[in-house]
Amino acid sequence: MGPGGVIRVITETEWIQQARSGDHVAFGRLVQAYQTPVYNLTYRMLGNAAEAEEAAQEAFLRAYTHLRSYDPQRPFRSWLMAIASHYCIDQLRRRRLTWLSFEDEIAVPENPVEGGLVQLASDLPNPESVVTQQERAVQIQTLLSTLSPVDRAAVTLLYWYDYSYEEIAETLDLTVSAVKSRLYRARRDLAKLLEEDGENGLQTSD
Amino acid sequence: MDCKQATEMMVARLDGHLDDGSTVLLEAHIGACCSCQAEWRSLQRLDDLLTTAPMVRSPVRLRVQVMTRLQRREQARRAIVGSTTLALGTITLMLLLLAPVLLDLLRMVGIAPTLLSAGPETVVQLLALMRTMGRALLVLLETFVTPLAALSLCSLALALALSRLWTGAVSRLRTES
Ligand SMILES: [Zn+2]
């Protein structure tokens, strides 16, 4: 960790302390610092911008409410990610109960226009590669949507947050061997799906 | 090594958990087994797709939205705490106001001696009342801007004024009789 990292940790600890004693401004700084990691997680989990935004807000509100139970020995980011993951898993389970008959409709994810793709566009002058990027984004969300809520969280934490099996286990309240087998099965199934749909990408049911 | 074991090793390799010896074994199997070769290709393709996917950036408005919801929630909480404290305060006040009458009623029933001897308890009751009132005032001051709070404050002041008049009247009556 460089000096910048140390300074960041110190200010973050201060923000957490201040937020704990009811300082909204300090908590706002924490939200600002972590909004993208939290939003990316809720987006990957829920598959659409509106729900992802709502879930990210809810995750932060829950974090604020439970700030007293946060153990400063643990990275704040991990703690926050655990809250967001569990909230999304609950939402997906609830959704499954409510929308059982509309599964086909919710299986179609939308483009994350709000997200990194717009930014990527500037790096890619060729509009066709932008389209490819967007297609890939849809493909990823379609693949993720076939997974169970917990598997979806595990895959997301592995690929976008570089979590170790141990960290995933801790975040999702699973054993390390359970994480290992979930990640194994999930990727075997996803690879099969990807293969079945060929080089042209997955066909979403319109 | 069977194909299931091979797939497990492929996944371990993607995550960088496969030692050199096992990697050699896996590569030998992939070289000799067509279905595992295809599986390895598709697993790599999936891994590549997920590894290269960028984080989706949060909308900028998220922070403001969280702050707004936080404020609204705290306001609602304060209003609930405030009104509860006020209600408790009012009940205590009512009990105190009724105390002289209650005493007379109880004296008629015949258990007055036990209550009359409880002088210190009245002091305790008064202290509790003052504490509750203090808390109610603090909470009300915090939510001073809302008309509800102003209204509550007015009613509280009214209740206090009435109580003073009432206790005054009662004590005057007592000394006269
Ligand atoms: Zn094989």
Side-chain angles (χ1 to χ4, degrees), chain A:
Chain A
M1 191 189 293
V6 174
I7 288 166
R8 192 201 157 98
V9 168
I10 291 169
T11 47
E12 186 181 290
T13 312
E14 274 170 13
W15 291 343
I16 295 165
Q17 282 301 326
Q18 289 160 353
R20 262 186 172 173
S21 50
D23 184 344
H24 284 192
V25 179
F27 189 70
R29 296 210 169 97
L30 288 168
V31 174
Q32 186 131 38
Y34 290 104
Q35 56 182 355
T36 287
V38 169
Y39 179 79
N40 178 67
L41 181 84
T42 58
Y43 182 81
R44 297 297 174 193
M45 292 286 291
L46 302 173
N48 73 76
E51 276 183 83
E53 204 174 324
E54 168 69 26
Q57 290 176 25
E58 196 57 46
F60 278 117
L61 288 174
R62 284 184 180 198
Y64 185 82
T65 311
H66 297 109
L67 214 50
R68 296 213 159 266
S69 70
Y70 163 68
D71 170 17
Q73 302 297 315
R74 209 179 151 187
F76 185 70
R77 182 177 139 119
S78 310
W79 183 72
L80 202 55
M81 284 304 142
I83 293 176
S85 307
H86 286 290
Y87 180 73
C88 289
I89 290 169
D90 286 348
Q91 287 302 109
L92 287 169
R93 285 181 180 152
R94 206 162 296 164
R95 188 202 266 176
R96 188 165 256 181
L97 286 176
T98 325
W99 294 81
L100 211 55
S101 47
F102 299 100
E103 238 168 74
D104 285 7
E105 279 178 54
I106 57 162
V108 184
E110 57 183 58
N111 276 335
V113 246
E114 192 81 56
L117 297 166
V118 177
Q119 290 230 322
L120 259 174
S122 58
D123 306 331
L124 301 160
N126 180 1
E128 262 182 48
S129 45
V130 175
V131 171
T132 313
Q133 278 296 317
Q134 301 232 344
E135 275 172 5
R136 280 161 75 92
V138 174
Q139 196 173 35
I140 288 168
Q141 288 310 125
T142 309
L143 284 171
L144 288 176
S145 71
T146 64
L147 297 175
S148 77
V150 176
D151 288 357
R152 218 180 285 189
V155 169
T156 304
L157 292 170
L158 180 78
Y159 279 100
W160 281 279
Y161 300 86
D162 290 323
Y163 268 35
S164 64
Y165 292 164
E166 287 76 14
E167 286 172 311
I168 296 172
E170 203 190 329
T171 305
L172 302 177
D173 299 325
L174 298 168
T175 62
V176 175
S177 64
V179 168
K180 236 183 251 184
S181 72
R182 275 175 183 274
L183 283 173
Y184 159 71
R185 272 185 293 108
R187 279 180 292 177
R188 189 198 56 196
D189 295 348
L190 291 184
K192 209 170 282 171
L193 268 178
L194 196 59
E195 213 50 48
E196 278 167 15
D197 288 281
E199 292 294 320
N200 299 325
L202 290 175
Q203 297 300 307
T204 53
S205 50
D206 283 331

